[in-house]
Amino acid sequence: MTYFKSAYKNAGIHHKMILLIIVLMLVNFAVFAVILKYVFHIYDNQMYKKTSEVLNISSIGIENELRDVEKITFKVTTDEQLQRYLLQLESETSPYTKMVLRKKITNRLVAFAGSETYVYSMMVIDKEGQVMSAGNREGIPPELRSTLSELAAEYNGSNAWYVAGHSSLLAARQFKSFTDTNFTLKGLGTLAIRVRIDRIVADRVQTSGRDGQLMITDGKQMIYPEAPLLSESDMQAELARKQPYGIATYTGGTFFAAQTKSSYTGWTYLHMTPFDDMFRSITIIKEIVSAIFVIMLLIALALGARLSGSITRPIVQLIQNMRKIEKGDLDRLEEEALGAVPLSTQDEVGLLHRTYKKMIRRIRELINENVAKQLLLRETELKALQAQINPHFLYNTLESVNWLAKANKQDRISEMVEALAFLLRSAVSSEEQLIPLRKELDIVRSYVTIQKTRFDERLVFHLDVPEELMDAQIPKLTLQPLVENAIHYALEPQIEPCRISIVARVREGALFLQVEDDGPGMTQDFLEKLRSGQVTTRGQGIGLTNIQERINLTFGTPWGIELHSESGTGTSIHVCIPYVKGEQGHVQGAAG
């Protein structure tokens, strides 16, 4: 991959343009192919919709007729005369009487079957296995009799469908006795109706062989037609396909197949349309589109090569002229460039030549400006180095004062100088903005040490910080300005001792810091000015607004400070930030 990137970067404009034309053509062809595929997909959906409508209409029509047949089976099995004949036949012992009863049953079946269009034959199988039929006199094999009787008994009086072979569909229902005095609902026999499924399909399905073929299967046997387009193995493969429609290739050819499953019978209705007849025009369109694309690609390459040549030849000439004057002095550059300008061209290449002339003029100006900037940069660097001397000089001076105070046993002066030196180092150090709470408290203690020299016993300072919170990370100089505020606004205005406290707690993953004083408090008007940043602390000049902004930049807008104060009751400043441990370096949680 690196080799190809390098080759592309080093290739000339001519080759890059040819490559760009090829890529654009391929992208256009891909887009067109996607659009064409989408159109064909819409066409397929329309075909599926049409085929689905045919399937739905066909299945609804067929199943309506099957429901009518089911109603016939119910009507026949609940006929009082047949019920009575079968009860008598069960209790009768005389052969002649049985024959007469079977004749009556047959005549009754003829009355039912004669007016039904889609009933091929109607048969009653009694308890002795004898068959009484009406309509077509085609018999029922003994094994089929027992199968139908067992199936009807299994459905216990409900209608059951049985597929005996291609286009051979039977409806079976058991006679249940309800005319006897005890209403026992015992089985009296079995009714079997052979249905003319081929005639039902012919009347209800408006398709021809050219449009495809409708097939009905129960998943194991073919119900219709006798000669399906698919073999048994192909049929099983089609039923295993999960898509409701698609293009499938089987032994008999390629078909556009659509299927739907009946919720009434559980049968699957399939509509198979020969693919070649249906999609021949689409195949031709695809071939024409591919041929047109190849022709357009060749034409685009020829035109692109000619266009890129007209652009690159003047550029190559300009490069040659630039190389000729590459070793010359600056005074001759402008004169050489003037002779290289093609005055007759007004396109981008001519503009490039004229711009080159202006560039040579600008080079002289930039050289002069660069010399001046280098001098200014050196002067600035010198001043920066000199500025670094001042803090070190101050630290050394403070160390000398501290040594002198210790030599003269002035412990308070020494303590105050050490605190001042620590404060200065902490303020100007270039450490990271997040420091441990322990270090921030050291800064506060140093500041309090200095102030105690001034206020003595009037300043009462108290810390309530658990040891496990000392490693919590907080923004640098967060608490010291708040303590400075408390001294300035609570301690200075009064002569009584003032208690200033710092409390730290952790709740729900958030670190809460509180700076409290029992001073005179603040008026509502002054409190608003302090909140808005109109009043800042003395010394470092870091106001509440500055602390709030630094907390927002570090942790986000949900975190910050809150100021509470009432005149005569003291002031309390609450700082809420995420609890970040120094060892782990990540936020432990967020406040709710």
Side-chain angles (χ1 to χ4, degrees):
M1 191 65 182
T2 305
Y3 171 78
F4 290 109
K5 288 183 178 179
S6 177
Y8 176 77
K9 290 180 180 179
N10 297 326
I13 297 177
H14 177 75
H15 296 91
K16 287 182 178 179
M17 186 169 291
I18 296 297
L19 180 61
L20 178 62
I21 292 174
I22 294 175
V23 171
L24 290 177
M25 290 295 296
L26 290 176
V27 170
N28 289 334
F29 179 75
V31 172
F32 183 76
V34 170
I35 294 175
L36 193 63
K37 184 177 180 181
Y38 177 71
V39 172
F40 290 156
H41 177 69
I42 294 176
Y43 180 75
D44 291 345
N45 286 335
Q46 293 295 327
M47 291 301 303
Y48 169 65
K49 184 177 180 181
K50 178 182 177 182
T51 308
S52 297
E53 290 176 355
V54 172
L55 278 177
N56 289 332
I57 294 173
S58 301
S59 61
I60 290 172
I62 293 171
E63 291 178 358
N64 285 339
E65 296 300 335
L66 295 179
R67 284 188 175 91
D68 291 340
V69 173
E70 184 178 346
K71 292 178 182 178
I72 294 172
T73 61
F74 178 77
K75 183 178 179 181
V76 173
T77 55
T78 57
D79 183 70
E80 293 186 4
Q81 295 185 28
L82 289 176
Q83 289 266 335
R84 187 168 57 254
Y85 294 154
L86 289 172
L87 281 172
Q88 294 176 7
L89 188 63
E90 184 179 8
S91 61
E92 189 61 52
T93 58
S94 170
Y96 175 77
T97 305
K98 289 184 177 182
M99 181 186 68
V100 173
L101 289 173
R102 290 191 176 103
K103 181 64 176 177
K104 291 181 179 180
I105 292 173
T106 301
N107 293 336
R108 188 61 180 164
L109 291 177
V110 170
F112 281 111
S115 59
E116 300 299 332
T117 306
Y118 301 119
V119 173
Y120 190 71
S121 61
M122 190 177 295
M123 297 155 284
V124 173
I125 306 171
D126 61 15
K127 299 292 285 294
E128 297 179 2
Q130 297 296 320
V131 178
M132 294 139 279
S133 62
N136 188 279
R137 297 293 178 171
E138 180 181 351
I140 301 180
E143 61 275 10
L144 183 57
R145 299 177 191 176
S146 60
T147 300
L148 291 174
S149 298
E150 292 173 0
L151 180 63
E154 180 182 348
Y155 276 75
N156 195 26
S158 299
N159 183 76
W161 296 104
Y162 180 79
V163 181
H166 287 187
S167 296
S168 180
L169 179 65
L170 293 101
R173 189 190 288 265
Q174 188 180 40
F175 283 91
K176 286 289 189 177
S177 174
F178 65 86
T179 58
D180 58 341
T181 56
N182 295 327
F183 200 70
T184 58
L185 294 178
K186 66 179 180 177
L188 301 177
T190 303
L191 171 67
I193 297 179
R194 193 181 298 275
V195 182
R196 291 181 173 179
I197 186 65
D198 53 346
R199 181 175 292 184
I200 294 176
V201 174
D203 291 346
R204 296 299 177 184
V205 180
Q206 302 298 324
T207 59
S208 61
R210 181 177 59 85
D211 298 326
Q213 186 184 68
L214 176 69
M215 289 178 283
I216 307 173
T217 178
D218 63 354
K220 297 179 181 179
Q221 297 187 65
M222 183 63 66
I223 300 173
Y224 176 86
E226 289 189 25
L229 289 175
L230 300 181
S231 63
E232 185 175 348
S233 59
D234 293 340
M235 176 61 70
Q236 295 301 322
E238 174 62 24
L239 293 176
R241 189 166 54 85
K242 296 181 179 180
Q243 292 81 4
Y245 73 99
I247 298 173
T249 302
Y250 298 115
T251 306
T254 303
F255 301 92
F256 182 83
Q259 58 178 271
T260 182
K261 193 168 185 179
S262 170
S263 59
Y264 167 58
T265 59
W267 299 343
T268 301
Y269 291 79
L270 297 128
H271 193 276
M272 310 296 292
T273 305
F275 177 81
D276 294 336
D277 296 338
M278 187 175 182
F279 293 93
R280 183 178 292 109
S281 59
I282 294 179
T283 304
I284 294 174
I285 292 175
K286 290 181 179 179
E287 294 174 354
I288 292 175
V289 169
S290 300
I292 292 175
F293 169 74
V294 173
I295 295 173
M296 291 179 61
L297 178 61
L298 295 176
I299 295 175
L301 288 176
L303 295 177
R306 185 173 180 179
L307 176 62
S308 63
S310 66
I311 296 174
T312 55
R313 278 193 299 270
I315 295 177
V316 171
Q317 181 183 358
L318 179 60
I319 293 174
Q320 292 173 353
N321 293 333
M322 293 174 66
R323 287 177 178 173
K324 288 179 182 179
I325 61 176
E326 183 178 2
K327 297 181 180 180
D329 58 354
L330 188 60
D331 296 332
R332 297 178 54 191
L333 288 178
E334 186 174 351
E335 181 181 355
E336 294 287 341
L338 185 60
V341 176
L343 298 177
S344 59
T345 58
Q346 300 297 326
D347 57 3
E348 288 82 356
V349 177
L351 179 62
L352 178 63
H353 281 267
R354 287 186 289 274
T355 305
Y356 174 65
K357 173 186 173 183
K358 295 179 181 179
M359 180 192 69
I360 294 175
R361 293 176 178 174
R362 182 61 177 160
I363 287 175
R364 186 185 300 275
E365 298 175 2
L366 291 176
I367 290 175
N368 296 333
E369 291 179 3
N370 187 53
V371 172
K373 288 181 179 178
Q374 289 295 331
L375 293 175
L376 180 61
L377 180 61
R378 289 186 180 182
E379 183 180 354
T380 303
E381 290 177 350
L382 180 60
K383 290 182 178 179
L385 291 174
Q386 291 174 346
Q388 293 179 1
I389 299 175
N390 296 331
H392 293 287
F393 175 76
L394 181 61
Y395 298 153
N396 293 335
T397 302
L398 290 174
E399 288 294 333
S400 299
V401 173
N402 184 32
W403 176 82
L404 184 61
K406 287 183 177 180
N408 289 279
K409 298 183 180 181
Q410 297 294 327
D411 294 337
R412 295 194 63 182
I413 296 176
S414 174
E415 182 181 2
M416 185 175 179
V417 170
E418 288 178 352
L420 178 59
F422 179 77
L423 275 177
L424 288 175
R425 286 191 179 92
S426 300
V428 301
S429 66
S430 58
E431 296 177 348
E432 295 183 357
Q433 295 302 314
L434 288 180
I435 62 173
L437 179 58
R438 184 190 314 277
K439 190 168 185 179
E440 178 72 10
L441 293 178
D442 289 340
I443 296 174
V444 173
R445 289 190 186 96
S446 298
Y447 177 74
V448 171
T449 298
I450 296 173
Q451 294 299 327
K452 273 185 171 294
T453 304
R454 175 185 174 189
F455 295 104
D456 200 12
E457 295 181 357
R458 288 176 57 201
L459 174 58
V460 180
F461 181 69
H462 178 69
L463 281 178
D464 183 8
V465 180
E467 181 63 29
E468 61 269 16
L469 300 184
M470 288 297 184
D471 291 332
Q473 299 289 304
I474 69 172
K476 183 179 178 181
L477 294 179
T478 297
L479 297 178
Q480 186 273 331
L482 301 181
V483 174
E484 185 176 352
N485 267 350
I487 291 175
H488 179 61
Y489 295 109
L491 177 59
E492 288 184 0
Q494 63 182 18
I495 60 175
E496 293 82 5
C498 179
R499 177 184 176 90
I500 299 175
S501 303
I502 297 178
V503 180
R505 296 290 184 269
V506 171
R507 292 197 302 271
E508 299 179 0
L511 177 64
F512 292 90
L513 302 171
Q514 187 172 338
V515 179
E516 298 177 326
D517 64 71
D518 57 359
M522 305 178 188
T523 64
Q524 190 65 30
D525 180 63
F526 186 81
L527 188 62
E528 293 298 328
K529 291 182 179 180
L530 194 61
R531 285 173 177 169
S532 63
Q534 298 179 28
V535 179
T536 59
T537 60
R538 295 189 299 179
Q540 293 290 338
I542 302 176
L544 298 180
T545 304
N546 180 283
I547 300 174
Q548 176 70 44
E549 290 177 354
R550 287 191 291 121
I551 291 175
N552 292 154
L553 289 174
T554 305
F555 301 111
T557 54
W559 311 94
I561 63 176
E562 291 184 2
L563 180 62
H564 303 279
S565 180
E566 292 184 9
S567 181
T569 61
T571 302
S572 175
I573 302 178
H574 301 265
V575 180
C576 179
I577 60 175
Y579 178 36
V580 182
K581 294 191 68 174
E583 295 294 331
Q584 299 175 351
H586 66 276
V587 179
Q588 298 294 316

